[in-house]
Amino acid sequence: MLSTPPESRSHRHSANSGIERSLPYGDPLTHELEHARDGSLGGVFDHVAIAVADLTASERFYRTVLSVLGAEPSHADADLVEWADWDIGPTDREHPVTRGLHVGFRAPSREAVDAFWQAGIDAGYRDDGAPGPRTAHGPDYYGGCLLDPDGNGAEAVHTERADPVPDGRIDHLWIRVRHLAASKRFYATIAPHAGLRIGVDEPDHVQVVGESFSFSLIDDERPLTEHVHLAFPAQDDATVRAFHAAALAAGYEDHGGPGERAVYHPGYYGAFVLDPDGHNVEVVNHNR
């Protein structure tokens, strides 16, 4: 599992759970993030967090490629580097390294996809699929993939959409799971409280869809995805409580009951449960 409950972590800024957002005044990402956290960009993840083996190396990788998409860190220190909805932090005894995750970031154009991939290659990072059409994912899907220092996939993707996530934000995730039916059942349980619905539903692939993003649960006999934190936004505290109650009533494991975590910021109200693969799943209302 990715994270201990927030109340047991003292005041550590962790990439693995809810995070106090200490952002510079006037930074354009600050403005965007504030709007995301008060619901006006409700179609995005609240945040996705991973633990990395070498924070300096991973920060260098993500700075290199995400800057091409117009995304710069909204916060960076020795415990946490974040790009609006994408957070990385160091491993420790309670936070093992994240493995086997694929994350796709929204690119404004096909040319930006090319530039993302080329920037990574020029900096010496590993190719995971040169830029080009991926018609299996959609008729106008265009992506280019790299591997981060821990071997997780990082992709820039461009598709024509009426209401895409902002450039540089998380477009989609691929999560390889142990038992697809069990994972689907978990996410179907929390879906009404996390702003989700089931999209593609195939024997080896279940897509869970938000307003402008998605994540896919995959069973393809490749190594499982490990130690990811997913946080979804809520508009009120009652939704957070309903999420937690529904998950526990269905037999899922508590990882931090509903309540305010003022250590992150005043009004931060979240709850945490573990999915069948031990990923830490949160619904949070920022009360802003």
Side-chain angles (χ1 to χ4, degrees):
M1 60 189 170
L2 182 65
S3 173
T4 55
E7 58 266 34
S8 68
R9 265 207 318 273
S10 300
H11 288 196
R12 175 186 173 188
H13 285 190
S14 168
N16 301 324
S17 189
I19 299 162
E20 182 180 0
R21 307 286 164 158
S22 302
L23 305 180
Y25 181 79
D27 186 318
L29 276 175
T30 304
H31 178 72
E32 175 184 308
L33 183 57
E34 287 172 349
H35 281 276
R37 300 308 167 99
D38 69 12
S40 58
L41 286 176
V44 303
F45 279 106
D46 191 87
H47 57 278
V48 175
I50 65 172
V52 300
D54 182 332
L55 184 59
T56 299
S58 290
E59 178 181 358
R60 186 181 306 117
F61 170 82
Y62 285 106
R63 280 184 182 268
T64 297
V65 298
L66 292 181
S67 64
V68 176
L69 306 182
E72 299 294 340
S74 49
H75 176 90
D77 62 23
D79 292 317
L80 170 70
V81 184
E82 60 184 354
W83 290 257
D85 56 353
W86 177 243
D87 302 345
I88 64 174
T91 58
D92 60 23
R93 184 178 59 83
E94 296 176 340
H95 307 97
V97 67
T98 301
R99 303 282 192 196
L101 179 68
H102 174 93
V103 55
F105 297 98
R106 170 75 183 181
S109 65
R110 291 188 171 199
E111 291 76 16
V113 173
D114 296 343
F116 167 98
W117 183 86
Q118 193 64 55
I121 295 300
D122 290 348
Y125 297 111
R126 292 172 289 170
D127 174 31
D128 197 37
R134 281 19 178 207
T135 55
H137 303 317
D140 64 349
Y141 188 109
Y142 189 90
C145 304
L146 300 161
L147 293 177
D148 78 3
D150 294 307
N152 297 301
E155 178 184 15
V157 57
H158 179 74
T159 58
E160 295 297 335
R161 293 184 182 173
D163 188 24
V165 296
D167 297 338
R169 300 292 288 266
I170 297 172
D171 178 85
H172 66 270
L173 305 171
W174 296 345
I175 301 172
R176 291 180 166 85
V177 300
R178 183 173 288 102
H179 299 296
L180 189 60
S183 292
K184 174 188 170 183
R185 188 159 50 248
F186 171 83
Y187 287 100
T189 298
I190 70 164
H193 317 293
L196 305 172
R197 61 180 175 83
I198 302 299
V200 173
D201 189 355
E202 299 174 344
D204 60 353
H205 174 207
V206 172
Q207 184 187 48
V208 185
V209 181
E211 184 178 330
S212 299
F213 67 89
S214 69
F215 58 100
S216 290
L217 309 170
I218 298 170
D219 178 7
D220 62 3
E221 300 184 353
R222 294 178 63 182
L224 300 179
T225 302
E226 300 178 309
H227 312 303
V228 179
H229 173 60
L230 306 176
F232 304 101
Q235 297 293 326
D236 51 57
D237 294 352
T239 300
V240 175
R241 292 191 293 270
F243 150 77
H244 188 260
L248 266 58
Y252 298 109
E253 184 177 348
D254 178 26
H255 202 52
E260 183 173 1
R261 271 73 175 181
V263 63
Y264 304 138
H265 66 69
Y268 188 112
Y269 191 91
F272 304 76
V273 298
L274 298 181
D275 83 357
D277 288 285
H279 300 305
N280 184 20
V281 178
E282 175 187 9
V283 170
V284 55
N285 175 31
H286 289 273
N287 282 297
R288 287 179 171 171

